Amino acid sequence: KLIVHLRQLIALETATGEVLWQAETPARHGSPVAGRLGETSVVVTPAGAIVRAEDGEILARDQFRLGHSSPLIHDDTVFAMEDGALKALGLRLSDGTDKKPMLPVQWEVQSSRANRLASPLCHEGLVYCVTEQGILDVVDAKTGERVYRKRLDFDNGRIDPSLCLAGGLIYLSSNRGTTIVMRPGREYEEIDRNSLADFKSRLFFS
């Protein structure tokens, strides 16, 4: 299925474009993401809805509320940055028989209340998230403990593009076209930067 979010969350048949189902859940600037709830494929929206991909049934609502960024799913955990707090919520079944989700908060850490337009990134046990002003927070994915915080030296551009991992390196870009290339890990290590024309979307690597 091709999942798009307009006024409703819509599933299309990829071969024909036929509408398979529509779910009444509000759209945000961020994108919905696909995940697994046990053996069930689900879609998690920035508004905090958990939607079954098979038929569009909304299994849960309002688990969190993101304004601009997308949620992040890694293994059986959903990471969501809202209102200056980064939350980790467990994505699992409420019991062994039904398909209803249970999203207990595993940890929650306070951070800068600045907007986060860029979606976060999880790699090798660390979650990376950045504010629009370029403050990078790196936290432990299991505990929420802050590993480090770094104010990035950008060109006064706003951090719109989402963080990207490619070739074992992390790329952080501003909408003025400057990209910082850093090595992932428990200490900040910038290894390069380059400049392109202005852009706001995530960098794409093939």
Side-chain angles (χ1 to χ4, degrees):
K1 300 178 179 67
L2 174 65
I3 306 295
V4 294
H5 208 170
L6 303 173
R7 293 185 181 275
Q8 300 85 24
L9 189 69
I10 302 171
L12 304 175
E13 167 61 50
T14 56
T16 65
E18 176 189 359
V19 176
L20 301 176
W21 52 255
Q22 297 185 46
E24 295 292 334
T25 179
R28 296 286 188 267
H29 291 292
S31 299
V33 294
R36 302 283 290 180
L37 178 65
E39 298 301 316
T40 302
S41 295
V42 295
V43 178
V44 181
T45 75
I50 314 298
V51 182
R52 189 163 60 199
E54 179 182 6
D55 55 10
E57 180 180 349
I58 299 175
L59 304 178
R61 295 180 183 271
D62 302 323
Q63 300 299 304
F64 46 83
R65 191 178 299 274
L66 307 182
H68 298 88
S69 63
S70 299
L72 170 67
I73 299 177
H74 183 73
D75 294 333
D76 60 351
T77 302
V78 180
F79 299 98
M81 175 63 73
E82 61 172 354
D83 295 334
L86 176 62
K87 295 181 179 180
L89 304 98
L91 180 61
R92 52 183 179 267
L93 297 174
S94 57
D95 58 42
T97 58
D98 64 22
K99 299 299 183 182
K100 297 297 182 182
M102 178 175 61
L103 275 75
V105 177
Q106 297 175 344
W107 52 256
E108 180 176 346
V109 293
Q110 298 301 311
S111 186
S112 168
R113 297 189 67 86
N115 286 334
R116 282 169 171 78
L117 309 179
S119 299
L121 170 72
C122 185
H123 178 62
E124 295 183 341
L126 299 177
V127 178
Y128 301 80
C129 49
V130 65
T131 70
E132 64 178 344
Q133 290 88 9
I135 299 175
L136 173 68
D137 281 308
V138 180
V139 302
D140 187 284
K142 289 193 175 297
T143 66
E145 179 184 359
R146 182 187 294 164
V147 176
Y148 70 83
R149 172 177 284 180
K150 171 73 174 178
R151 181 179 290 275
L152 302 174
D153 180 20
F154 269 109
D155 51 4
N156 297 320
R158 193 175 66 188
I159 313 302
D160 285 20
S162 296
L163 287 78
C164 185
L165 176 74
L169 299 173
I170 295 175
Y171 298 79
L172 303 98
S173 303
S174 78
N175 60 4
R176 295 284 181 85
T178 297
T179 296
I180 290 176
V181 185
M182 58 175 280
R183 199 178 305 280
R186 303 187 74 85
E187 295 182 357
Y188 180 77
E189 183 183 356
E190 180 178 330
I191 63 172
D192 202 359
R193 63 173 58 202
N194 58 63
S195 296
L196 301 170
D198 295 359
F199 66 93
K200 294 186 178 182
S201 62
R202 184 197 302 253
L203 290 170
F204 177 76
F205 296 87
S206 60

